Amino acid sequence: MAIAIKTNDLSRTFSDDGEKKGGLFWALRDVNIEIPDGMIFGLLGPNGAGKTTLIKILSTLLLPSAGEALVAGYNVDNEYDKIRPVINMVSGGENCGYGILTVAENLWMFTQFYGIPTKPAMKRIKELLEIMNLTEKADTKINKLSTGMRQKMNFIRGFVTDPKILFLDEPTLGLDVNAARETRKFVMNWVKTAEEPKTVILTTHYMQEADEMCDRLAIIDHGKILAEDTPRSLKKQESGGISYNITVGYKDFDAEGLRKIPGVASFAHSVLDEQGMIEMVFILQTDAALAKIIEKINSDGFSINNIQKTEFTLEDAFIKLVGRRLSNGESDAR
């Protein structure tokens, strides 16, 4: 099987402008991945983990400090002119195009950057506008579009050049539930039914999206790959415990005390601002630890709103590996 992307001890450093002036900050360190053609490969990690740096290197926007990265068989160091014609990238929330041009005009303009003749380009644009339910907005200037519609246009821009390798960075950000569902379905079908192998590298903060879409996943933190496998295998490998979600009223609490309760394998929490609640996630070695947790919560004066035992999920595996949740309001749980 041909390899779409391969890295060997890939590293990237930046100068540290903090307290240790003149030092180096490792955004990526000795990253080794191999992604075959025809696969949706996911990158999961908290903010600042190194995902964006890795995507920028693979898409030829940033050079590595050390190591090697091959994309479609070409080296990002000195063969970027051969890589760029066969890749494309979509970033969620990105503002692209010119506001005075219409949706169709902007999309046509992007096809011209890739040298696609106008007739097949316009045919492809029409097809994708229909798929994304954006046909009625084809002649609307993009500065008149809503955020969701602009994201749909941005999504179409990624596919209109029919790339061999596509980087999707939070592609459903800003889309409503139905549009996000249709977007995921389209990406999976695009990879599955393509006459020539298509490869997608996906970053997302939605665990369900990663679980549903990805053939393989790499979990990254502090610039290093912590684990790589299929979503199913990651859940199976890391599932050495029982998962409980406990929702309590908001107040200060003893996180370290909860973490040190015998039988607690992992603990994380997030603040549910709108409800004025805290959601605690425990991974336990045995159910027996639950009684001690409840006793501790009650003794700290909390009001327990809900206790739910859950099946071990990809998020549970992530928490166990990284030590914190991948969500808004994520908190350090190590």
Side-chain angles (χ1 to χ4, degrees), residues 253-286:
F253 67 98
D254 179 15
E256 196 61 30
L258 288 167
R259 192 176 293 116
K260 289 181 177 179
I261 291 174
V264 174
S266 184
F267 165 72
H269 75 277
S270 59
V271 177
L272 307 176
D273 288 322
E274 293 181 3
Q275 297 95 324
M277 297 282 184
I278 296 173
E279 184 180 45
M280 300 177 174
V281 180
F282 294 88
I283 299 173
L284 310 182
Q285 294 167 354
T286 68

Side-chain angles (χ1 to χ4, degrees), residues 283-296:
I283 299 173
L284 310 182
Q285 294 167 354
T286 68
D287 278 314
L290 182 62
K292 291 291 185 182
I293 291 171
I294 294 172
E295 181 182 334
K296 170 66 174 170

Side-chain angles (χ1 to χ4, degrees), residues 33-319:
I33 56 174
E34 187 171 288
I35 306 173
D37 280 340
M39 175 179 289
I40 300 178
F41 186 91
L43 286 171
L44 287 179
N47 293 332
K51 304 186 302 296
T52 299
T53 300
L54 179 56
I55 291 292
K56 283 185 175 181
I57 290 173
L58 297 177
S59 58
T60 75
L61 297 177
L62 189 68
L63 287 171
S65 301
E68 180 184 57
L70 301 176
V71 178
Y74 302 114
N75 195 309
V76 298
D77 273 329
N78 50 27
E79 295 181 295
Y80 48 84
D81 56 330
K82 296 177 182 177
I83 294 172
R84 289 174 181 172
V86 299
I87 67 172
N88 209 333
M89 181 163 65
V90 175
S91 297
E94 175 186 5
N95 288 322
C96 64
Y98 293 94
I100 61 172
L101 298 181
T102 67
V103 170
E105 288 168 344
N106 269 288
L107 292 172
W108 173 83
M109 177 185 68
F110 283 113
T111 66
Q112 300 314 290
F113 296 157
Y114 283 76
I116 301 173
T118 293
K119 188 173 181 179
M122 294 307 296
K123 180 176 182 293
R124 181 70 172 155
I125 289 168
K126 183 180 178 182
E127 291 171 351
L128 289 168
L129 286 171
E130 290 176 359
I131 290 170
M132 295 302 295
N133 296 316
L134 211 57
T135 301
E136 292 182 359
K137 300 295 182 180
D139 297 322
T140 301
K141 292 182 179 180
I142 66 170
N143 59 10
K144 303 294 184 183
L145 297 179
S146 67
T147 300
M149 288 180 179
R150 286 195 70 148
Q151 180 57 13
K152 284 185 176 183
M153 189 205 77
N154 187 32
F155 183 78
I156 292 171
R157 178 188 58 77
F159 287 87
V160 76
T161 60
D162 199 29
K164 178 180 174 65
I165 299 170
L166 180 63
F167 299 95
L168 295 180
D169 187 11
E170 305 284 350
T172 58
L173 191 67
L175 298 180
D176 61 41
V177 174
N178 289 331
R181 185 184 301 116
E182 290 303 312
T183 297
R184 290 193 293 269
K185 183 191 292 185
F186 175 79
V187 173
M188 291 187 289
N189 188 60
W190 181 72
V191 172
K192 184 178 180 181
T193 62
E195 293 182 6
E196 297 181 357
K198 304 292 185 183
T199 305
V200 171
I201 293 81
L202 171 74
T203 73
T204 179
H205 274 79
Y206 303 121
M207 287 291 178
Q208 184 178 351
E209 187 166 88
D211 204 353
E212 177 186 351
M213 294 181 66
C214 296
D215 300 300
R216 290 185 70 85
L217 285 167
I219 294 178
I220 184 172
D221 193 26
H222 294 101
K224 295 184 178 182
I225 301 294
L226 303 182
E228 182 197 333
D229 214 321
T230 65
R232 182 177 180 179
S233 292
L234 283 171
K235 286 183 282 187
K236 186 176 180 180
Q237 290 167 17
E238 302 298 331
S239 66
I242 304 152
S243 181
Y244 279 93
N245 283 32
I246 301 179
T247 307
V248 300
Y250 181 81
K251 62 176 288 189
D252 291 335
F253 67 98
D254 179 15
E256 196 61 30
L258 288 167
R259 192 176 293 116
K260 289 181 177 179
I261 291 174
V264 174
S266 184
F267 165 72
H269 75 277
S270 59
V271 177
L272 307 176
D273 288 322
E274 293 181 3
Q275 297 95 324
M277 297 282 184
I278 296 173
E279 184 180 45
M280 300 177 174
V281 180
F282 294 88
I283 299 173
L284 310 182
Q285 294 167 354
T286 68
D287 278 314
L290 182 62
K292 291 291 185 182
I293 291 171
I294 294 172
E295 181 182 334
K296 170 66 174 170
I297 290 173
N298 286 333
S299 69
D300 287 346
F302 279 96
S303 172
I304 296 178
N305 180 264
N306 183 54
I307 299 177
Q308 183 178 11
K309 185 176 183 179
T310 60
E311 294 295 324
F312 199 87
T313 66
L314 186 60
E315 183 173 24
D316 294 326
F318 182 91
I319 289 171

